[in-house]
Amino acid sequence: MTRKLYDAMTFFPECKEKFLSECLEILAQQMVLLQQEFEIIIHHKRNSDQDGYNKVVIVTDLTGGYVKGKLSDGVVQYPFLWDDAVVGYARQLGVQGQWDCQGLSPEDCCAQVKNSCPNIDTKGNYLECHIFVPFGGVGNKKRDDRIFVAVSPDGRVQESPFIS
């Protein structure tokens, strides 16, 4: 019997907190050393003015059956204040912007999130959920030919880029 005891990820910590242009130079050098070409996918961290600002991202386990959370603790987060049209002011949702969904299905977690904020916001949107199955999970194939780079609003690389 063969077991896959771990799933290795390749990170590029030398890019963290560098400006994107510097990071792209580092990645180009690494591609030469690795003798491989990669598709570089730049992901700009969302802000409250972008489409999808009203979505809580629910990270699941690889099967998509249970909430794992970004930190593997079952907690999901919403980073913005909700500009509640009914109460008339912006407020933090959940408990300090978080919901404990440990052991819940993504659908049950989403229901908990939505029930905590039934009011429309001043842009005319309701709180919604985006269910994300990690790379390598059901319906989200892991690949070894792409590098993800997360960029903050100030143009710096926010997290170590990774191959997936």
Side-chain angles (χ1 to χ4, degrees):
M1 173 167 47
T2 304
R3 292 183 190 209
K4 191 172 186 179
L5 297 178
Y6 63 91
D7 195 8
M9 294 271 296
T10 302
F11 292 91
F12 299 91
E14 58 269 44
C15 276
K16 189 172 180 181
E17 298 181 9
K18 300 257 193 274
F19 283 105
L20 178 60
S21 59
E22 294 174 78
C23 178
L24 293 175
E25 290 175 17
I26 292 168
L27 293 175
Q29 294 168 358
Q30 290 298 313
M31 285 188 250
V32 169
L33 291 173
L34 294 169
Q35 299 179 352
Q36 187 172 350
E37 288 190 26
F38 295 92
E39 174 186 7
I40 296 177
I41 298 172
I42 298 170
H43 175 77
H44 293 274
K45 289 295 186 175
R46 66 185 176 144
N47 64 52
S48 60
D49 295 323
Q50 293 176 315
D51 286 340
Y53 74 92
N54 61 316
K55 294 183 179 179
V56 174
V57 178
I58 298 174
V59 180
T60 72
D61 64 344
L62 293 176
T63 69
Y66 294 94
V67 176
K68 184 174 181 182
K70 186 176 180 181
L71 302 176
S72 300
D73 58 2
V75 173
V76 297
Q77 303 171 340
Y78 183 71
F80 310 120
L81 293 176
W82 186 254
D83 198 4
D84 196 308
V86 175
V87 299
Y89 57 86
R91 62 188 178 96
Q92 194 168 44
L93 300 178
V95 177
Q96 297 180 344
Q98 302 178 344
W99 294 265
D100 184 357
C101 291
Q102 182 75 36
L104 297 179
S105 70
E107 296 78 15
D108 289 343
C109 178
C110 183
Q112 177 180 321
V113 166
K114 287 180 168 185
N115 289 338
S116 74
C117 182
N119 298 342
I120 199 166
D121 73 358
T122 56
K123 295 178 185 177
N125 294 309
Y126 286 96
L127 191 62
E128 299 291 336
C129 300
H130 172 77
I131 297 171
F132 176 75
V133 178
F135 299 112
V138 173
N140 200 1
K141 183 181 175 190
K142 189 171 183 176
R143 295 173 30 193
D144 62 358
D145 65 342
R146 62 186 177 187
I147 300 173
F148 284 87
V149 182
V151 180
S152 64
D154 72 351
R156 293 183 187 270
V157 175
Q158 189 168 358
E159 303 163 356
S160 295
F162 61 94
I163 296 174
S164 182

